[in-house]
Amino acid sequence: MRTVAFAATLVALFPIAALAAEPKADFKVKPTAAAAGKDVRITFEAAAATDVEVAVVDVNGRVVRHLAAGALGANAPDPLKKNS
């Protein structure tokens, strides 16, 4: 039940370009969070190369846990997928 509660708070994925007054980056595949045993697997696909931030937010939109950030592509940092 705890994993379900975590997934219910969902994960915020922010294309950083959208925050910097650059053209808005969209998702090719919308973000999802699903239980994977004791872990939660977060998946998404950006429509174009962009910087992203993956974070858990509370109901007020405040970041409570930063999970990853970086540019997608050949040099994507872990845990982001390379060449994505």
Side-chain angles (χ1 to χ4, degrees), residues 21-82:
E22 294 179 19
K24 182 177 182 277
D26 290 319
F27 291 105
K28 186 173 183 180
V29 177
K30 296 283 186 188
T32 60
K38 290 185 173 184
D39 298 327
V40 174
R41 183 175 181 91
I42 301 162
T43 58
F44 67 95
E45 187 175 343
T50 187
D51 289 339
V52 296
E53 176 184 4
V54 182
V56 177
V57 298
D58 65 16
V59 296
N60 296 314
R62 291 182 298 232
V63 174
V64 295
R65 179 76 176 187
H66 173 80
L67 302 175
L72 298 178
N75 297 318
D78 289 335
L80 301 172
K81 185 177 177 183
K82 308 279 188 225

